[in-house]
């Protein structure tokens, strides 16, 4: 796979293989095949729509995740809706915003109340990129 759409399709195929017996406390769960890693904190208002895989030591609050989302270890997601996307490790996403068919690199920070929560955005963001209030800034 070398294209984003190919990576997202491979992610979907892998998530379809998850076992269906996951118990997720403190979250609204729709569907099956939901995996939450150790040390991950699911705060208020989290909705998980399987299949979903969330890595270890993540923090989620006031968000809707899934279907077909993989979130890497150490990520912090708040005030966002994310579906059919891959979020690599140590990412920070704080909306309100809606991401679909997106690829977010390692150590990315997106804090952008200007995007709005209902309009879906399809983005590809490289490692260590910072997006604040709709402005693009690479670090």
């Amino acid at each position: 796979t070398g294209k984003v759409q190919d990576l997202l399709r491979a992610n979907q195929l892998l998530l379809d293989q998850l076992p269906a017996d996951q118990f997720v406390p403190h979250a609204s769960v729709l569907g099956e095949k939901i995996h939450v890693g150790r040390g991950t904190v699911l705060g208020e208002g989290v909705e998980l729509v399987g299949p979903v895989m969330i890595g270890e030591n993540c923090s989620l609050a006031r968000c809707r995740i899934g279907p077909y989302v993989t979130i890497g270890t150490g990520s912090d997601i708040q005030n966002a809706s994310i579906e059919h996307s891959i979020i690599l490790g140590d990412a920070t996403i704080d909306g309100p915003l809606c991401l679909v068919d997106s690829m977010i690199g390692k150590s990315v920070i997106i804090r952008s109340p200007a995007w709005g929560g209902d309009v879906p955005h399809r983005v590809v963001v490289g490692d260590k990129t910072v997006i604040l209030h709709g402005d693009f800034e690479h670090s």
Side-chain angles (χ1 to χ4, degrees):
T1 63
K3 299 177 184 175
V4 172
Q5 289 303 329
D6 293 339
L7 288 169
L8 293 173
R9 178 69 179 137
N11 184 58
Q12 182 175 343
L13 292 171
L14 289 171
L15 290 174
D16 279 335
Q17 302 303 312
L18 285 175
D21 57 354
Q22 180 69 29
F23 170 73
V24 182
H26 310 298
S28 173
V29 176
L30 301 172
E32 299 178 329
K33 300 182 180 185
I34 295 173
H35 175 79
V36 178
R38 293 181 193 259
T40 289
V41 176
L42 302 176
E44 242 180 78
V46 174
E47 182 178 346
L48 302 176
V49 182
V52 168
M53 179 174 285
I54 301 169
E56 296 179 349
N57 302 314
C58 293
S59 177
L60 283 71
R62 298 169 307 283
C63 59
R64 183 178 193 274
I65 306 297
Y68 298 107
V69 174
T70 297
I71 297 176
T73 298
S75 294
D76 180 14
I77 313 291
Q78 297 185 37
N79 305 307
S81 174
I82 303 171
E83 61 182 69
H84 296 276
S85 297
I86 300 170
I87 313 295
L88 297 180
D90 297 313
T92 298
I93 298 174
D94 190 354
L97 66 131
C98 177
L99 298 177
V100 297
D101 299 326
S102 296
M103 180 79 183
I104 308 296
K106 292 180 184 178
S107 302
V108 165
I109 297 173
I110 300 175
R111 286 195 177 104
S112 187
W115 280 7
D118 294 335
V119 178
H121 296 278
R122 180 175 292 124
V123 297
V124 176
V125 181
D127 293 350
K128 299 181 181 179
T129 298
V130 176
I131 301 174
L132 303 172
H133 303 291
D135 294 329
F136 290 84
E137 173 185 324
H138 295 281
S139 60

